Amino acid sequence: MTDQAPAAATERPDIPGKSIAASRTTLSHIMTHSDTNLLGTVHGGVIMKLVDDAAGAVAGRHSGGPAVTASMDEMAFLEPVRVGDLVHVKAQVNWTGRTSMEVGVRVLAERWNESTPATQVGSAYLVFAAVDADGKPRQVPQVIPETEQDRRRYQEAQIRRTHRLARRRAIMELRAKRAAEGFDD
């Protein structure tokens, strides 16, 4: 297999592609008492904001300008995060379309005062749309997967995209059918 991205209709000869590594980033934050929920663990919304912040930075870096969150898929909380945990949010572009990108995020946590390995505590996939100064969609560079792991993530992202589009179509068809039947949902 070559180091090039899979052939796709999204190739843009006027915009050079970028490797996944070019925009990959890690955001780290220590969790404090102000981050807790009623159970005394870190509130899921705090983690979600860190995920969106890291993913937004990656999307902006990859696209070379502003990008807005279009959707968040499959946010999974695997383990609770505690006060005193040093949380690392690792994000990268997995796939690009013409104006949108899927960003994959892994959330890891380790005790701030211990030298034990970090544990994965969450993951998410977000879709970002690149926008210009007027908020209109703009083209993004094609992502170039370089490793086998990058190619696997690219292919999995294509599957998630197909499912997102099919789900959206099915919902719109159901709404149109219900409207035609006189239901005003």
Side-chain angles (χ1 to χ4, degrees):
M1 191 169 265
T2 68
D3 285 341
Q4 297 299 311
T10 59
E11 290 185 28
R12 292 162 296 281
D14 54 327
I15 302 174
K18 284 186 176 180
S19 71
I20 288 173
S23 57
R24 185 178 286 141
T25 195
T26 300
L27 171 68
S28 296
H29 188 79
I30 194 160
M31 298 292 107
T32 67
H33 287 286
S34 65
D35 300 317
T36 60
N37 59 26
L38 295 175
L39 298 175
T41 57
V42 173
H43 195 287
V46 170
I47 301 299
M48 290 174 74
K49 179 166 183 345
L50 293 173
V51 164
D52 191 44
D53 288 348
V58 166
R61 289 171 78 170
H62 183 82
S63 68
V68 296
T69 310
S71 69
M72 179 184 273
D73 289 353
E74 301 179 37
M75 180 72 213
F77 297 100
L78 307 172
E79 298 283 336
V81 177
R82 302 171 294 154
V83 169
D85 280 352
L86 180 58
V87 172
H88 308 286
V89 183
K90 297 177 176 278
Q92 70 176 42
V93 173
N94 290 334
W95 174 90
T96 53
R98 195 176 66 77
T99 62
S100 65
M101 306 154 268
E102 182 195 89
V103 178
V105 181
R106 282 189 326 134
V107 183
L108 303 137
E110 61 181 309
R111 295 306 294 166
W112 70 274
N113 60 348
E114 297 175 9
S115 59
T116 56
T119 302
Q120 184 170 353
V121 295
S123 65
Y125 299 100
L126 295 88
V127 176
F128 280 80
V131 295
D132 63 17
D134 298 320
K136 303 286 187 219
R138 62 181 175 79
Q139 287 191 348
V140 299
Q142 182 176 7
V143 71
I144 303 170
E146 296 177 312
T147 68
E148 267 313 306
Q149 191 175 44
D150 289 345
R151 284 186 277 280
R152 176 188 55 80
R153 288 179 176 148
Y154 184 94
Q155 291 170 332
E156 290 172 358
Q158 287 179 305
I159 292 167
R160 283 186 292 275
R161 180 177 186 272
T162 299
H163 288 199
R164 275 191 297 274
L165 294 174
R167 183 177 61 233
R168 182 182 305 147
R169 258 191 318 276
I171 289 169
M172 296 309 289
E173 288 170 5
L174 177 62
R175 288 179 181 174
K177 179 182 176 211
R178 288 185 56 79
E181 293 170 352
F183 293 101
D184 186 21
D185 295 341

